[in-house]
């Protein structure tokens, strides 16, 4: 029934494990997998970096908090994709520190914001020329993940309206960084939409990192299946919006 997600080239950050690695495998298992799949890991020996035979992916090492690392990754991607550009950038790198309002610190706030919000900003800025090239190369297509898109992996915990799971986890630094990431998604959509680049926030439902084994509303497999199905369906009307893995629109 579902043809799956068909994309020429994808760069996925945060492939060292967890959801990133699961998304990587999910992309490779699509009926027509990407011709170029770039797994950005922090650890060169990381699981996602082609050290498993199943993953025949090029691996631009990318520390999303280091502009030089991102620039090097852009160069490696450009080498492979040429004038076709990069179709899909998935900003998945994420970190958290367990905290409550009473224990939250400036250090936590700064560290988590640097990775979760500034990282996706810098990565999106750096890959913009390649995304624009893809949007131009596929200009006969409507806006979609197959043409040119930035997907920010966010969290329902970043929704100000829903303010979910307060009793379970306050994690102020994480909530604030994801709320800010959602605003970034909106800004990217407003600025890049005219160039044919779709920008959307997605809550994968899988609590990362999990509170404890087996916690989180869905399994990694369900999460990946849902996210990839959602990405296959996004269009111009979804630009600058927030969705969950079930394909439901979320309030900011």
């Amino acid at each position: 029934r579902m043809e799956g997600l068909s994309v020429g080239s994808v760069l996925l950050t945060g492939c060292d494990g967890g959801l990133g690695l699961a998304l990587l495998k999910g992309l490779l298992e699509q009926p027509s997998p990407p011709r170029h799949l770039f797994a950005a890991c922090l650890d060169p020996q990381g699981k996602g970096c082609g050290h498993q035979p199943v993953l025949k992916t090029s691996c631009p090492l990318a520390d999303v908090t280091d502009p030089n690392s991102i620039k090097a990754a852009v160069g490696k991607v450009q080498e492979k994709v040429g004038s076709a550009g990069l179709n899909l950038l998935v900003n998945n790198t994420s970190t958290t520190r367990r905290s409550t309002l009473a224990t939250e610190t400036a250090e936590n706030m700064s560290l988590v914001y640097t990775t979760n919000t500034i990282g996706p900003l810098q990565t999106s800025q750096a890959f913009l020329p390649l995304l624009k090239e893809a949007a131009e190369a596929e200009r006969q297509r409507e806006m979609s993940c197959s043409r040119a898109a930035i997907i920010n992996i966010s969290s329902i915990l970043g929704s100000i309206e829903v303010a979910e799971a307060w009793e379970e986890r306050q994690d102020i630094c994480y909530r604030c960084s994801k709320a800010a990431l959602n605003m970034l998604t909106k800004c990217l959509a407003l600025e890049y939409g005219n160039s044919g680049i779709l920008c959307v926030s997605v809550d994968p439902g899988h609590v990362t990192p999990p509170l404890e084994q087996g916690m989180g509303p869905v399994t990694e497999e369900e999460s990946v299946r849902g996210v990839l199905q959602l990405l296959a369906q996004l269009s111009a009307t979804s630009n600058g919006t927030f969705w969950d893995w079930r394909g439901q629109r979320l309030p900011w």
Side-chain angles (χ1 to χ4, degrees):
R1 192 177 59 86
M2 294 296 305
E3 295 120 56
L5 179 66
S6 176
V7 189
S9 58
V10 184
L11 172 80
L12 179 60
T13 70
C15 291
D16 289 283
L19 183 71
L21 193 55
L23 275 170
L24 198 60
K25 288 179 171 162
L27 282 163
L28 286 165
E29 286 160 9
Q30 292 298 291
S32 45
R35 189 158 157 249
H36 299 290
L37 183 51
F38 302 96
C41 307
L42 287 174
D43 173 12
Q45 304 304 311
K47 298 184 198 127
C49 283
H51 289 268
Q52 292 180 326
V54 46
L55 300 176
K56 296 183 177 66
T57 58
S58 339
C59 171
L61 224 54
D63 174 355
V64 300
T65 64
D66 174 10
N68 290 327
S69 175
I70 298 169
K71 200 173 161 192
V74 171
K76 286 181 188 174
V77 170
Q78 196 161 18
E79 227 171 80
K80 289 275 196 312
V81 300
S83 61
L86 176 68
N87 299 109
L88 178 59
L89 168 63
V90 182
N91 287 314
N92 168 65
T93 303
S94 195
T95 191
T96 188
R97 291 288 180 273
R98 299 310 313 277
S99 65
T100 63
L101 263 177
T103 63
E104 193 55 272
T105 63
E107 188 192 9
N108 273 352
M109 290 292 282
S110 169
L111 187 141
V112 171
Y113 190 85
T114 299
T115 299
N116 293 4
T117 313
I118 299 173
L121 166 70
Q122 293 186 137
T123 309
S124 301
Q125 287 171 327
F127 279 96
L128 176 62
L130 287 178
L131 288 159
K132 276 187 167 168
E133 249 182 307
E136 191 52 34
E138 299 278 350
R139 65 182 172 279
Q140 74 287 357
R141 282 180 189 255
E142 295 294 307
M143 261 179 144
S144 66
C145 287
S146 303
R147 184 182 174 191
I150 297 171
I151 301 298
N152 289 326
I153 300 296
S154 186
S155 168
I156 187 79
L157 297 182
S159 168
I160 293 171
E161 196 171 317
V162 177
E164 195 176 84
W166 179 251
E167 302 306 324
E168 291 77 45
R169 53 186 301 177
Q170 294 193 359
D171 292 4
I172 313 301
C173 54
Y174 185 77
R175 288 176 186 271
C176 291
S177 72
K178 291 299 190 180
L181 177 67
N182 287 344
M183 177 51 109
L184 175 64
T185 296
K186 197 63 158 178
C187 296
L188 292 170
L190 291 168
E191 185 63 16
Y192 297 170
N194 293 339
S195 302
I197 302 167
L198 180 67
C199 304
V200 171
S201 272
V202 175
D203 164 38
H206 187 72
V207 178
T208 315
L211 301 179
E212 46 198 71
Q213 215 46 48
M215 290 278 294
V218 285
T219 66
E220 227 162 56
E221 291 69 30
E222 284 175 297
S223 171
V224 166
R225 197 178 317 124
V227 167
L228 293 177
Q229 198 165 318
L230 169 72
L231 297 192
Q233 292 164 342
L234 293 173
S235 65
T237 54
S238 342
N239 194 33
T241 56
F242 186 18
W243 298 80
D244 74 7
W245 85 102
R246 291 170 294 206
Q248 292 177 344
R249 177 119 180 234
L250 296 176
W252 297 119

